[in-house]
Amino acid sequence: MTARTEKITQAFHTAMLTLLETHTLDALSITQICRTAKLNRGTFYLHYAKKEALYEEVMEAIIDDLLDAYFEPYEKNPQLSIWTLDETTISFFDHISKYRLFYGNIYKHAPNVQLQQRIYDKLYELFFADLLYRKDADPTLDIALLAGYQAGAILGMARTWILHDFNDEVSHLNAQLKKIMLLNT
């Protein structure tokens, strides 16, 4: 991707996220997106066939960033365990905070069950793959059930934080997550 293409893509992504703070996707027009991005319709159609294509690209970028945030502590310590986890390296809630308007929109202001399900599914896949390759896992545990529990639990924490208007600091959530994880060991 060229620097120019990347700049255009970023402008359209930012415009979409900005507009989704106050509009549903159905209520958005390509003209609004272009005006907000400060780009013309020709440029839009050069990159996207329709607004839904841009929306999908933005959602995938956010979900990819979510997965990157989850894996960040592992990059610093591949042998990571709950006992050695430094709560300051947890990035999951930093990601939620970074995209707080987006998450606030899909969980609170204009609930989007399909998108909530996509996020859950991605986290489920992530936890399932992680559990599948762990050497310390109890062989009698049903990893599908455990992956579902983990995905639901961390999204439950995030949803509660979102519904309480992000009242707690990220550091508090990180500390609570570690304590909760230690309860289950």
Side-chain angles (χ1 to χ4, degrees):
M1 184 180 294
T2 68
R4 177 167 161 63
T5 302
E6 194 169 313
K7 189 175 178 180
I8 290 167
T9 299
Q10 187 57 46
F12 280 129
H13 283 206
T14 302
M16 177 64 80
L17 286 171
T18 300
L19 290 166
L20 286 173
E21 292 172 21
T22 54
H23 299 77
T24 64
L25 181 62
D26 291 338
L28 286 180
S29 70
I30 291 173
T31 300
Q32 287 173 298
I33 295 167
C34 292
R35 190 176 309 125
T36 304
K38 297 182 171 104
L39 295 165
N40 64 44
R41 290 176 69 89
T43 303
F44 180 88
Y45 286 114
L46 187 62
H47 295 272
Y48 306 100
K50 54 188 179 174
K51 66 182 179 184
E52 289 80 6
L54 170 60
Y55 179 80
E56 281 299 313
E57 188 175 278
V58 169
M59 296 309 104
E60 284 304 311
I62 290 172
I63 291 170
D64 286 348
D65 190 72
L66 174 69
L67 299 180
D68 289 345
Y70 174 80
F71 277 117
E72 190 172 320
Y74 286 98
E75 290 172 8
K76 294 175 181 155
N77 181 0
Q79 301 303 318
L80 189 66
S81 77
I82 185 56
W83 305 107
T84 61
L85 178 65
D86 176 0
E87 62 201 44
T88 63
T89 65
I90 299 171
S91 304
F92 180 82
F93 296 108
D94 288 308
H95 164 85
I96 302 290
S97 181
K98 176 181 174 182
Y99 294 105
R100 69 178 43 220
L101 295 171
F102 165 75
Y103 284 105
N105 193 34
I106 66 164
Y107 281 97
K108 188 176 181 181
H109 305 299
N112 184 327
V113 176
Q114 290 172 323
L115 191 51
Q116 290 175 26
Q117 185 65 45
R118 275 176 67 184
I119 293 166
Y120 170 86
D121 290 345
K122 286 289 185 179
L123 283 172
Y124 173 85
E125 290 170 21
L126 176 77
F127 289 127
F128 187 86
D130 187 38
L131 290 165
L132 196 59
Y133 294 104
R134 286 182 57 181
K135 308 240 184 292
D136 62 341
D138 178 345
T140 63
L141 259 174
D142 184 327
I143 61 172
L145 292 175
L146 182 54
Y149 168 80
Q150 290 176 322
I154 199 160
L155 281 177
M157 284 184 70
R159 185 173 182 275
T160 299
W161 185 40
I162 292 163
L163 294 177
H164 290 114
D165 295 321
F166 302 92
N167 283 337
D168 295 311
E169 296 293 323
V170 168
S171 59
H172 174 72
L173 287 144
N174 291 344
Q176 291 299 301
L177 178 61
K178 182 171 180 177
K179 287 179 182 186
I180 290 167
M181 291 167 69
L182 285 171
L183 282 175
N184 293 322
T185 58

